[in-house]
Amino acid sequence: MPQVLTPHQSQYYAWLLTRRTAGDSVESLASTLVDSQVDLNPHQVEAALFACANPLSRGVILADEVGLGKTIEAGLVISQRWAERRRRILIIVPANLRKQWHQELQDKFNLQGILLEAKSYSALRKQNHRNPFQGVTGPVICSYQFAKTKAEDIKAIEWDLVVLDEAHRLRNVYKTSNVIAKTLKEALAHVHSKVLLTATPLQNSLLELYGLVSMIDDRVFGDVDSFRSQFTAQPREQAFAALRTRLATVCKRTLRRQVQQYVPYTARKAIVQEFTPSTEERELSSLVADYLRRPNLKALPEGQRQLISLVLWKLLASSTHAIAGALETMAKRLEGELAPSIEVPSLEEVLDDDYESLEETAEEWSEQETSADNSATDQREAVAQEIAELRHFKNLATNIRENAKGTALLTALDRAFAELDRLGAAKKAIIFTESKRTQEYLLSLLEKTPYGEGIVLFNGTNSDARAQAVYKEWVKSHEGTDRITGSRTADTRAALVEHFKERGTVMIATEAGAEGINLQFCSLVINFDLPWNPQRIEQRIGRCHRYGQKHDVVVVNFVDRSNEADARVYELLDQKFQLFDGVFGASDEVLGAIGSGVDFERRIAEIYQNCREPSEIKASFEQLQRDLSGEINEAMVKTRQILLENFDEEVQDKLRVRAEASSAARSKYERMLLDLTRTELTGHATFDDDGFVLQQLPSPTLSEVELDHTASVGSKPWRYLLVPHDDVAESKRLTDFLQFEVKFTPSA
């Protein structure tokens, strides 16, 4: 029977467990390692220590390849700073990743982040917070765009840590055109601890490295002219040796192949589901396609014709239901031009509601067009004729009762579920569509099948009756727990994912489902509509094919072989980008080479817009292939390897040592915490090697006790216990070991 600690020993253990230490060793990270609700890998601990132990610069770049858990690495750093009571923490991320960050901090590190956006910012201002960034009690999470607009507020705070996710957005900060990067650089210039996360720190030019490092600290390289003279004007071998040495202090990169021995990656298996549209469907597609190719369409708003055309091409390929709705809106818009008294919906708003990627695409889209100068009479006649055409197209669409693509979905589900059964994976599928109207059609289609009972809908609003019923049930079941964030949007998303995991069979999702949710329990991704943006496809598949996935992931893609352009798009995505087969999916080199996925979409849209004959389409796609090969610069890939990557033997040996050290530190911390708890609860609990059972409360020393939230290890119940001491008590969570929570520091 272990002896209880003496009062002096208790105080010493408590001091060891809660001391403020610099995060430069595994020992210092012990509490964070224990607190985290994730199976930490040695490369993640190594990266976190690198970020915490860098006294010479004002931050670091964590540049691990895609899929190695950079968010976890950043979470370790955030947790360490929090434990050191350095709690002014700002996290700047792409808008679509805000909720994912919020959830991961809560689930994996027991940290309650604060989502700061226009609505919550205004609410805090109304509560007399002059600077809402200062009036919050947890890590602040906001988007790049929001951070730019509130740069003065951000600049006014002495941040202890700033994390910037997808930091490659900032790599061209030295260019005057990158307004967001330049604004944030100025606002964060005084911050002494920054962590930049990116899988693609270098794609096209050495100046991109200069840009990222200058976001951290201008002193590393000086101005851009100095960098050029030192590293681009010198002989390659000499310059690269000096640059590698300089980068080693601020940049850390691990490759997927270096960690395969302890990170089990599963493979992707592609299934092509071919379908042949009916005669009616082909007639509709041909008519609408010819219409979209006209140079002076009245129904499309000036300055956005190319963008809106892109959306319409995608809706046409999605389903007759999707294009019918768009055609109706366009006709109504034109009717408003003929009769200004008629209130008509905004085409952009209606399309954005249906095609949820429109707003994100529009942010990166620019076009300049001039309108034709027609007389008023000619204009009215042209508009009236166009309205009649749109009504005709719409009637054709609504009269098509059965979609060949929808019918093919039933075949695809049967084929794919048979493959999941062979793999031993759970019978779950996520179906992606680019249209909410198509989502509704697929719901009506599948409701009448054996899959109907387990359908979950997921989109940008989640306001339908099904989603709200799931949300209300979820809130009721989690009442009184920290699972509820208070954000209805975030909580609804969490509720739908949990429902899908526990009771669902099929999730039908729009593009909103490709961001910010983790579905490792699902092994089937169906691209009912295939995006033209490879980055979006990788993001979709990455919801399921990620760390923690135990089975190979089946990816089903729908291809209309009778449509030359559709077939060529699939060929390009499959063969050039290698998105659908293999262990990892698209490489960083390939995805990064295209720069903006929106630009790539534009190039494909131009082929659809300008090419009618199969020979023209074939030639245009072959040219696109050649252009892409040129953009995937082999010399730059080699440069990246020389500057940022270590030899396998070096990395693997270091990671082996780190794994052993972190395991030992974690065990030591756990033992001390259990011994101290044993002493604190003498006479009130029975202990064994695994934990304890609380038999009675040690009141009156307790001011607050929560016994509602139970967890279980085997058949034993464990409780959450709050032991208050002084006002600087520090929370230490050990849920994966003892399943309880203790708060204690040495009393004065």
Side-chain angles (χ1 to χ4, degrees):
M1 174 82 182
Q3 297 294 314
V4 298
L5 304 176
T6 67
H8 290 291
Q9 289 172 325
S10 294
Q11 289 203 18
Y12 179 60
Y13 273 31
W15 175 78
L16 285 174
L17 291 166
T18 61
R19 60 179 172 165
R20 304 185 190 193
T21 58
D24 58 356
S25 69
V26 173
E27 287 282 339
S28 69
L29 274 179
S31 64
T32 299
L33 293 171
V34 171
D35 290 353
S36 62
Q37 303 302 293
V38 65
D39 293 328
L40 293 169
N41 290 303
H43 75 274
Q44 294 170 324
V45 177
E46 174 73 13
L49 288 172
F50 177 80
C52 290
N54 198 330
L56 300 178
S57 75
R58 294 184 174 182
V60 298
I61 302 168
L62 300 183
D64 291 356
E65 275 194 297
V66 171
L68 290 184
K70 289 184 290 295
T71 305
I72 300 299
E73 296 168 0
L76 286 170
V77 179
I78 293 166
S79 295
Q80 178 64 19
R81 294 291 181 253
W82 193 264
E84 296 167 4
R85 298 160 183 102
R86 295 158 68 181
R87 298 181 172 180
R88 292 179 298 239
I89 298 171
L90 176 64
I91 304 166
I92 304 175
V93 305
N96 60 310
L97 297 180
R98 290 172 299 176
K99 297 179 181 69
Q100 180 177 337
W101 266 89
H102 181 276
Q103 198 65 45
E104 296 232 328
L105 282 181
Q106 180 178 295
D107 292 347
K108 294 183 170 61
F109 298 97
N110 198 32
L111 287 174
Q112 189 64 50
I114 310 296
L115 286 171
L116 209 55
E117 49 198 2
K119 188 176 179 180
S120 55
Y121 180 92
S122 299
L124 286 167
R125 287 294 296 266
K126 289 176 182 177
Q127 296 172 19
N128 295 319
H129 291 286
R130 289 184 61 189
N131 187 344
F133 284 87
Q134 207 162 16
V136 298
T137 56
V140 180
I141 305 166
C142 70
S143 70
Y144 276 98
Q145 187 64 40
F146 186 82
K148 172 191 163 270
T149 60
K150 307 301 180 186
E152 289 302 314
D153 285 351
I154 290 172
K155 190 176 181 178
I157 296 174
E158 293 294 325
W159 298 101
D160 295 313
L161 174 68
V162 175
V163 175
L164 298 113
D165 197 10
E166 303 293 338
H168 47 267
R169 295 175 174 228
L170 310 171
R171 63 192 178 199
N172 294 324
V173 64
Y174 58 92
K175 296 181 179 179
T176 55
S177 58
N178 197 333
V179 178
I180 290 180
K182 292 184 78 67
T183 304
L184 291 182
K185 181 181 178 180
E186 183 182 349
L188 301 173
H190 64 296
V191 178
H192 288 269
S193 182
K194 294 187 277 282
V195 176
L196 277 61
L197 308 176
T198 175
T200 54
L202 174 61
Q203 285 300 330
N204 304 300
S205 166
L206 288 180
L207 287 175
E208 294 171 351
L209 284 176
Y210 167 80
L212 286 178
V213 174
S214 72
M215 285 295 302
I216 296 171
D217 192 346
D218 274 327
R219 299 172 302 174
V220 176
F221 289 131
D223 61 25
V224 68
D225 291 333
S226 297
F227 181 87
R228 283 195 176 101
S229 65
Q230 289 182 77
F231 303 113
T232 64
Q234 300 292 330
R236 176 186 171 98
E237 187 173 332
Q238 178 183 338
F240 278 20
L243 183 54
R244 181 180 172 93
T245 302
R246 195 80 61 89
L247 287 169
T249 64
V250 293
C251 185
K252 181 89 177 154
R253 181 170 174 83
T254 305
L255 308 179
R256 289 178 292 200
R257 58 182 168 83
Q258 294 170 332
V259 302
Q260 278 187 274
Q261 65 185 47
Y262 58 84
V263 179
Y265 287 101
T266 61
R268 299 180 183 181
K269 296 183 177 297
I271 294 178
V272 176
Q273 182 60 54
E274 298 184 4
F275 66 97
T276 303
S278 65
T279 303
E280 293 82 3
E281 289 175 295
R282 288 199 299 272
E283 181 188 358
L284 172 67
S285 294
S286 178
L287 289 169
V288 175
D290 287 342
Y291 169 79
L292 291 175
R293 291 187 180 112
R294 293 181 196 170
N296 295 309
L297 293 176
K298 312 300 180 185
L300 302 187
E302 294 293 336
Q304 288 186 300
R305 291 190 174 185
Q306 293 178 4
L307 173 61
I308 300 301
S309 291
L310 165 70
V311 175
L312 294 171
W313 281 109
K314 298 312 302 280
L315 295 179
L316 181 62
S318 179
S319 70
T320 55
H321 304 266
I323 195 62
L327 292 168
E328 176 64 22
T329 302
M330 292 162 70
K332 287 181 177 177
R333 180 178 183 273
L334 290 179
E335 287 174 341
E337 288 192 15
L338 295 180
S341 59
I342 299 176
E343 188 173 340
V344 296
S346 162
L347 179 60
E348 300 97 306
E349 288 179 7
V350 173
L351 289 180
D352 186 45
D353 184 56
D354 184 29
Y355 185 85
E356 293 179 342
S357 298
L358 177 58
E359 184 178 355
E360 182 183 344
T361 305
E363 286 180 5
E364 299 184 48
W365 195 284
S366 62
E367 58 186 285
Q368 295 178 345
E369 294 187 11
T370 57
S371 58
D373 185 20
N374 298 322
S375 68
T377 304
D378 290 344
Q379 187 87 343
R380 290 186 67 85
E381 289 177 0
V383 168
Q385 183 179 347
E386 201 166 313
I387 291 172
E389 285 182 297
L390 289 169
R391 294 287 189 206
H392 175 59
F393 301 155
K394 187 249 183 176
N395 290 334
L396 287 176
T398 53
N399 287 331
I400 298 172
R401 299 299 180 188
E402 187 173 291
N403 284 198
K405 192 177 175 185
T407 304
L409 175 62
L410 303 177
T411 304
L413 280 169
D414 290 342
R415 288 177 65 194
F417 278 139
E419 181 64 14
L420 290 189
D421 188 57
R422 189 186 69 79
L423 294 170
K427 189 177 178 180
K428 293 184 184 293
I430 181 167
I431 303 172
F432 282 106
T433 173
E434 295 187 296
S435 163
K436 282 176 72 174
R437 288 192 177 96
T438 301
Q439 183 187 46
E440 292 164 5
Y441 159 65
L442 295 179
L443 171 63
S444 67
L445 177 71
L446 294 180
E447 274 184 321
K448 305 165 187 172
T449 72
Y451 306 114
E453 290 297 317
I455 296 176
V456 181
L457 297 186
F458 195 104
N459 54 52
T461 61
N462 292 319
S463 57
D464 59 281
R466 277 173 172 260
Q468 289 305 301
V470 170
Y471 165 75
K472 289 175 182 176
E473 184 182 343
W474 181 86
V475 168
K476 187 177 179 180
S477 66
H478 292 287
E479 189 175 2
T481 73
D482 59 3
R483 289 283 292 158
I484 299 175
T485 68
S487 166
R488 190 176 183 107
T489 301
D491 288 345
T492 303
R493 290 167 66 93
L496 291 170
V497 171
E498 186 175 296
H499 183 81
F500 178 43
K501 181 179 182 179
E502 294 178 356
R503 283 173 278 179
T505 302
V506 173
M507 174 179 278
I508 309 172
T510 62
E511 215 58 42
E515 304 162 344
I517 60 174
N518 298 330
L519 305 174
Q520 296 97 322
F521 55 85
C522 175
S523 304
L524 173 54
V525 178
I526 299 178
N527 290 311
F528 187 79
D529 300 331
L530 192 62
W532 295 343
N533 183 338
Q535 294 164 338
R536 281 174 54 202
I537 297 173
E538 185 63 33
Q539 200 170 33
R540 283 182 176 186
I541 301 172
R543 298 305 96 210
C544 301
H545 193 224
R546 58 194 302 112
Y547 178 68
Q549 174 60 253
K550 293 180 172 58
H551 303 277
D552 291 344
V553 174
V554 179
V555 183
V556 179
N557 300 297
F558 284 71
V559 179
D560 175 9
R561 294 290 189 189
S562 67
N563 186 311
E564 181 71 19
D566 284 3
R568 291 282 175 177
V569 168
Y570 178 76
E571 183 181 291
L572 183 64
L573 296 170
D574 180 42
Q575 296 179 13
K576 194 66 182 178
F577 290 98
Q578 299 178 325
L579 288 161
F580 309 120
D581 282 297
V583 177
F584 297 130
S587 69
D588 295 340
E589 283 79 17
V590 174
L591 284 184
I594 64 173
S596 165
V598 170
D599 288 339
F600 189 75
E601 281 187 291
R602 186 202 302 265
R603 293 170 75 172
I604 292 179
E606 287 172 356
I607 297 175
Y608 276 78
Q609 192 77 26
N610 300 320
C611 302
R612 288 179 169 83
E613 299 300 321
S615 57
E616 291 179 290
I617 295 169
K618 180 183 177 184
S620 295
F621 271 101
E622 286 175 350
Q623 182 59 51
L624 181 56
Q625 285 251 33
R626 287 192 292 273
D627 293 347
L628 189 62
S629 296
E631 290 175 5
I632 302 175
N633 190 321
E634 291 183 8
M636 191 52 62
V637 171
K638 185 67 174 175
T639 297
R640 186 186 305 107
Q641 292 171 347
I642 294 171
L643 295 177
L644 301 174
E645 297 173 8
N646 296 296
F647 296 110
D648 284 356
E649 296 79 6
E650 175 190 342
V651 174
Q652 289 168 1
D653 186 59
K654 195 171 185 179
L655 292 179
R656 178 186 56 78
V657 173
R658 184 65 71 205
E660 294 168 357
S662 58
S663 177
R666 189 168 183 159
S667 298
K668 179 181 176 182
Y669 187 93
E670 290 169 348
R671 287 196 306 274
M672 285 196 298
L673 184 54
L674 183 57
D675 286 346
L676 185 54
T677 303
R678 189 193 312 271
T679 301
E680 294 284 325
L681 296 180
T682 299
H684 304 287
T686 57
F687 286 78
D688 56 32
D689 291 339
D690 298 319
F692 67 89
V693 175
L694 185 64
Q695 297 169 324
Q696 61 183 21
L697 301 178
S699 63
T701 61
L702 294 179
S703 61
E704 181 185 354
V705 177
E706 293 185 17
L707 295 174
D708 297 333
H709 317 318
T710 64
S712 63
V713 179
S715 60
K716 297 178 181 179
W718 308 104
R719 305 291 188 178
Y720 290 88
L721 173 66
L722 183 68
V723 184
H725 282 273
D726 58 24
D727 59 354
V728 294
E730 183 61 32
S731 176
K732 302 296 178 189
R733 194 176 178 102
L734 200 56
T735 52
D736 61 343
F737 179 65
L738 299 175
Q739 291 292 332
F740 71 105
E741 181 173 284
V742 183
K743 290 189 178 182
F744 55 164
T745 56
S747 301

